[in-house]
Amino acid sequence: MKIGIIGLGLIGGSLGFDLRDCGHTVYGVSRKESTCQRAIERGLVDEANMNFESLKTVDIVFICTPINKIYSTVKNIINDLSPNTIITDVGSVKTPIVEQCEQLWDNFVGGHPMAGTAEQGIEAGQKNLFKNAPYVITPTEKTPKNSIKILENLAQSLNSTVYICSPEEHDQAVAWISHLPVMISASLIASCLGEIDRNVLILAQQFASSGFKDTSRVGGGNPQLGVMMAEYNQKALLAALQAYRQQLEQVIEKIEEKQWQSLERLLTKTQAERSRFIH
Ligand code: NAP
């Protein structure tokens, strides 16, 4: 297949690597000449351009820009595409994107490859990023069935596990397991920084080991992406944060009132249930 990728950062670059390895021809689009050159040097794409000309003949275009640029990017490219071209995106939030983009282009299929690192930009793309990771496809009643199948096949060829659900279900589910953890993890780091005894703070920074590394990782990621998760998935994220606050209050109460058995019951339950989320 001929595949276009707009935005050659972590996700776009990683897709380029793997789709080329699967034998597809990848046409990249970036805003900068230096990024185009680097994308070719790194082997992320077969060709890279600063305009949308190269997309005229592609079968599918992956929009891999920041969330707030997906709609405007779709708007800017549609005059250059052949009518059968599938447009898909990789944005971490789906409802507002799918609602707007399917109005612009009938053959739009929302998608979200659920893999990442803390890196961003042209040097961040890596091979096999999507291996064994979920790839969520979020069609609506209007989405052409054949286009869903084509995206599903491509995602499977990346060795991802494909899930299909509505954009709204996607946003509620990722609020729990992706967007809430970013806010909790960031709040953890911010709380530690609130330690007023400088010696204790320095000791904490020196002592931080695997537990802190695990729990702080997503709070140390791309700040702009975190803000966009909150802005574009505000309702579901707030519901999850409020539930989390209630849970935290219950934990505080158990500790204040020395309800050690109750605390143990909670920790026993979470110990047993964690494996349902971590495969
Ligand atoms: P990234 O590394 O910063 O890459 C985004 C790329 O978009 C940039 O390299 C840039 O490419 C292009 N871009 C930036 N601003 C733009 C603008 N104003 N107009 C047009 N293009 C612009 O970010 P990313 O992590 O790959 O995220 C890209 C998308 O993937 C986002 O929608 C995000 O929600 C989604 N996503 C991210 C993760 C994650 O963990 N990071 C996981 C799953 C999905 P050029 O400089 O080449 O133009």
Side-chain angles (χ1 to χ4, degrees):
M1 287 175 86
K2 289 183 173 181
I3 298 178
I5 298 180
I6 305 179
L8 300 171
L10 170 67
I11 301 298
S14 302
L15 277 172
F17 263 141
D18 290 353
L19 291 170
R20 287 191 77 216
D21 281 350
C22 292
H24 302 291
T25 308
V26 174
Y27 300 86
V29 177
S30 163
R31 294 164 304 162
K32 296 187 215 110
E33 180 58 40
S34 57
T35 306
C36 291
Q37 279 173 14
R38 188 66 188 129
I40 293 169
E41 273 166 24
R42 291 201 66 211
L44 308 177
V45 295
D46 291 277
E47 279 183 26
N49 287 288
M50 290 172 63
N51 58 49
F52 304 130
E53 279 279 303
S54 61
L55 303 180
K56 273 196 162 72
T57 61
V58 300
D59 302 294
I60 181 165
V61 185
F62 285 80
I63 315 284
C64 302
T65 63
I67 294 171
N68 62 345
K69 299 295 170 196
I70 293 174
Y71 174 73
S72 57
T73 303
V74 171
K75 211 169 172 184
N76 288 337
I77 63 171
I78 50 181
N79 290 333
D80 285 299
L81 300 184
S82 95
N84 294 332
T85 308
I86 301 167
I87 304 180
T88 185
D89 76 304
V90 297
S92 311
V93 176
K94 297 273 54 94
T95 309
I97 291 172
V98 174
E99 254 171 34
Q100 291 187 317
C101 292
E102 71 177 9
Q103 309 255 349
L104 288 175
W105 194 249
D106 289 341
N107 209 353
F108 180 85
V109 191
H112 181 197
M114 297 203 52
T117 69
E119 307 303 318
Q120 62 188 106
I122 184 66
E123 301 301 331
Q126 61 182 63
K127 289 196 176 196
N128 293 318
L129 181 68
F130 310 106
K131 192 174 174 181
N132 299 326
Y135 198 118
V136 189
I137 299 175
T138 60
T140 67
E141 283 176 1
K142 285 167 70 178
T143 317
K145 301 276 176 295
N146 191 42
S147 304
I148 301 170
K149 194 70 207 156
I150 290 170
L151 182 59
E152 187 175 354
N153 289 342
L154 280 174
Q156 280 165 348
S157 72
L158 306 172
N159 294 312
S160 294
T161 308
V162 175
Y163 296 91
I164 297 187
C165 65
S166 71
E168 296 78 13
E169 288 170 325
H170 165 276
D171 289 355
Q172 286 167 15
V174 297
W176 285 116
I177 53 79
S178 177
H179 303 173
L180 176 65
V182 167
M183 300 308 152
I184 295 173
S185 178
S187 302
L188 168 67
I189 300 170
S191 304
C192 293
L193 290 172
E195 169 58 56
I196 44 173
D197 185 325
R198 181 128 187 91
N199 285 333
V200 173
L201 177 60
I202 289 169
L203 284 174
Q205 287 166 340
Q206 289 167 336
F207 296 169
S209 186
S210 55
F212 193 81
K213 199 172 167 187
D214 289 346
T215 49
S216 66
R217 184 178 69 79
V218 292
N222 179 344
Q224 289 80 28
L225 180 56
V227 172
M228 282 183 238
M229 288 170 173
E231 190 180 339
Y232 286 80
N233 199 19
Q234 186 192 29
K235 193 169 156 221
L237 176 58
L238 276 178
L241 275 167
Q242 272 146 9
Y244 181 75
R245 180 161 62 189
Q246 274 179 10
Q247 184 61 53
L248 202 57
E249 275 164 10
Q250 285 176 27
V251 170
I252 291 171
E253 195 179 301
K254 289 181 206 305
I255 296 173
E256 273 175 353
E257 295 178 7
K258 301 185 181 172
Q259 296 172 6
W260 308 129
Q261 282 181 351
S262 172
L263 183 62
E264 187 173 342
R265 275 198 298 280
L266 171 72
L267 296 178
T268 304
K269 185 175 169 203
T270 57
Q271 182 188 42
E273 295 289 330
R274 181 174 182 263
S275 62
R276 291 184 194 271
F277 294 87
I278 309 297
H279 308 289

